Amino acid sequence: MTTASSKTKFRPRIYIAPDARRLIARFWQSASGFWRGPTRWRAWLLVGLLIATVLLQLLTQYWLNFWNRDFFDAIERKDGAALWVQARHFIPLAGASLILAVTSVWARMTMQRQWRAWLSAHLYDYWLQNGRFRHLRFMQGEHQTPEYRIAEDARVATDLPIDLTLGLISSVLTAIIFIGVLWSVGGRLVIDSFGVGLEIPGYLVIAVVVYSLLITAAMMLIPHRLTRVIEDNKRAEAELRAVGAHLRESGEGIAVPDGASGGRLTIGAALTEVIAQWRAYCWQLMRMTMVSHSNTLLTPVIGLLLCTPKYLVGAMTLGETVQAAAAFAIVQGAFNWITDSYGRLAEWTSSANRVASLLLALDQIEDPDRDKMADRA
């Protein structure tokens, strides 16, 4: 007689693929060790240097914006002496901007290199210790070509977060500072329509917010499948490498009758899938480029067109017009962080998920019940 407990004990179980939230959480569980372990003092020192560089770059950009106003006002007045003064002022501003840009590249790439080295060493240790690499193929989940995930996906997963975080901090601070410039320089716009005067305070700020929302919505809607397409692309590339490695290992081992024709068909199918996924990726990039390039062309023109009416009636000087148009482009660029970073966010998500899938599979070797399983009904 079969008891209820024995039915429960021997009931087959099925694997439930982890969702995106669990994958990202598993990735950060391991990757954040760089900021908590023995390397934390060096990591946080580099963070402080990068934030200080961002603040100083923003201050330099702010001064250059006002330099634009004074320089073009001098051109409008045809004041040669003032032009020479502004030319001398430009030299230290340009020098500071150059030094800060070089410092930012050094600090950013140093942090990326050290974080990648730490995470890769952690992954290699976890993969190789206690013979886990031998048992991995028996585990359920998405964990093919672990060596590629550690070498390539770990690199992308540590490079992009630093770039994206710095970009986000810079964009938020830039938007705050230059919205103030737009509001003060642009002022209000008065429109006379059918004898009725309509006054729009801070019209340049309103315009840049509306325009940025439209561009962001277009970027989120048009290439909306980009993350999934990148994941499929990486998966197809991994399958192609795995098939090639298997064929090589078979050839170095024992001869298999008719193995050449069968192997050629297998690797041909994998290559066909890779090309199909690259085609889908190309279409997504074309859509994204259509939005981003249109935005690059239109932003400076829209800023100038919005300022031109006030310049023509003498409410703005030439310098203020150029300053406001430049501030409009800067604020729009800051608001457009999501648009500019969408493709890189998708690429990071894909790589982080692949690293996390490998970690979850390795977790099962140590504790089979740690992974999500479900009783078959």
Side-chain angles (χ1 to χ4, degrees):
M1 180 176 181
T2 305
T3 63
S5 60
S6 63
K7 287 182 178 179
T8 302
K9 182 177 180 180
F10 296 102
R11 185 178 298 172
R13 297 183 297 175
I14 59 172
Y15 173 77
I16 298 178
D19 58 17
R21 180 179 297 179
R22 185 175 178 223
L23 288 170
I24 294 299
R26 183 62 186 90
F27 170 79
W28 283 115
Q29 180 184 346
S30 290
S32 61
F34 176 68
W35 315 92
R36 294 181 280 105
T39 57
R40 63 183 182 275
W41 66 269
R42 186 168 48 199
W44 288 109
L45 183 64
L46 287 170
V47 168
L49 177 60
L50 283 169
I51 292 177
T53 303
V54 168
L55 293 174
L56 290 174
Q57 285 177 315
L58 179 59
L59 182 61
T60 304
Q61 190 178 32
Y62 181 77
W63 285 338
L64 282 169
N65 184 256
F66 279 89
W67 177 86
N68 272 324
R69 181 198 63 184
D70 297 337
F71 182 78
F72 281 96
D73 279 343
I75 290 178
E76 187 178 35
R77 298 193 307 269
K78 298 181 175 61
D79 188 342
L83 282 173
W84 279 112
V85 170
Q86 294 306 316
R88 289 196 300 270
H89 288 171
F90 178 76
I91 293 173
L93 290 173
S97 180
L98 178 61
I99 291 172
L100 290 170
V102 172
T103 303
S104 177
V105 169
W106 177 84
R108 174 175 53 81
M109 295 192 70
T110 298
M111 177 176 287
Q112 290 170 331
R113 183 181 68 248
Q114 293 184 1
W115 190 13
R116 179 194 178 185
W118 183 92
L119 180 60
S120 296
H122 171 75
L123 292 172
Y124 281 126
D125 289 342
Y126 197 37
W127 177 43
L128 296 173
Q129 283 178 353
N130 302 325
R132 293 189 189 94
F133 67 97
R134 296 190 183 95
H135 302 286
L136 186 61
R137 64 192 180 97
F138 301 108
M139 297 298 106
Q140 293 178 313
E142 181 72 24
H143 52 72
Q144 296 84 358
T145 59
E147 68 282 1
Y148 177 80
R149 293 173 188 247
I150 298 174
E152 180 61 21
D153 288 312
R155 178 189 65 80
V156 175
T158 51
D159 279 1
L160 292 184
I162 295 172
D163 289 342
L164 294 170
T165 301
L166 286 176
L168 178 60
I169 293 172
S170 178
S171 295
V172 170
L173 295 176
T174 298
I176 293 171
I177 296 298
F178 283 93
I179 280 177
V181 173
L182 271 183
W183 190 278
S184 61
V185 176
R188 60 187 182 181
L189 180 66
V190 179
I191 301 175
D192 291 324
S193 178
F194 302 104
V196 178
L198 177 62
E199 184 176 302
I200 306 175
Y203 78 103
L204 288 178
V205 175
I206 296 173
V208 75
V209 169
V210 172
Y211 177 69
S212 298
L213 288 174
L214 291 174
I215 293 296
T216 301
M219 181 59 77
M220 298 299 290
L221 291 174
I222 292 177
H224 64 283
R225 293 182 57 249
L226 186 59
T227 299
R228 185 63 201 172
V229 168
I230 291 177
E231 289 182 355
D232 291 341
N233 189 306
K234 287 179 176 289
R235 185 178 298 108
E237 292 280 7
E239 289 291 339
L240 179 62
R241 281 187 295 271
V243 171
H246 177 70
L247 289 175
R248 175 179 53 79
E249 291 166 358
S250 299
E252 292 172 351
I254 59 173
V256 180
D258 299 327
S261 59
R264 181 63 185 86
L265 289 174
T266 303
I267 203 167
L271 179 60
T272 300
E273 178 64 16
V274 166
I275 300 304
Q277 293 302 329
W278 270 105
R279 186 180 298 111
Y281 183 43
C282 176
W283 278 107
Q284 291 295 312
L285 287 183
M286 288 169 60
R287 294 171 180 175
M288 187 173 67
T289 301
M290 180 179 66
V291 178
S292 61
H293 191 69
S294 298
N295 176 52
T296 300
L297 294 173
L298 290 175
T299 299
V301 176
I302 291 175
L304 285 172
L305 289 176
L306 289 171
C307 297
T308 298
K310 296 192 71 171
Y311 173 71
L312 293 177
V313 299
M316 270 188 181
T317 65
L318 177 61
E320 289 173 336
T321 301
V322 174
Q323 180 189 18
F328 184 93
I330 291 171
V331 172
Q332 198 281 325
F335 282 158
N336 227 37
W337 178 84
I338 294 178
T339 301
D340 295 337
S341 305
Y342 185 72
R344 306 184 80 194
L345 280 169
E347 184 179 5
W348 174 80
T349 302
S350 173
S351 292
N353 286 347
R354 286 172 56 78
V355 173
S357 297
L358 173 61
L359 286 167
L360 288 172
L362 293 171
D363 290 343
Q364 293 180 66
I365 298 173
E366 292 298 304
D367 182 5
D369 294 329
R370 184 173 177 175
D371 194 39
K372 283 189 172 182
M373 308 292 288
D375 291 333
R376 190 184 301 273

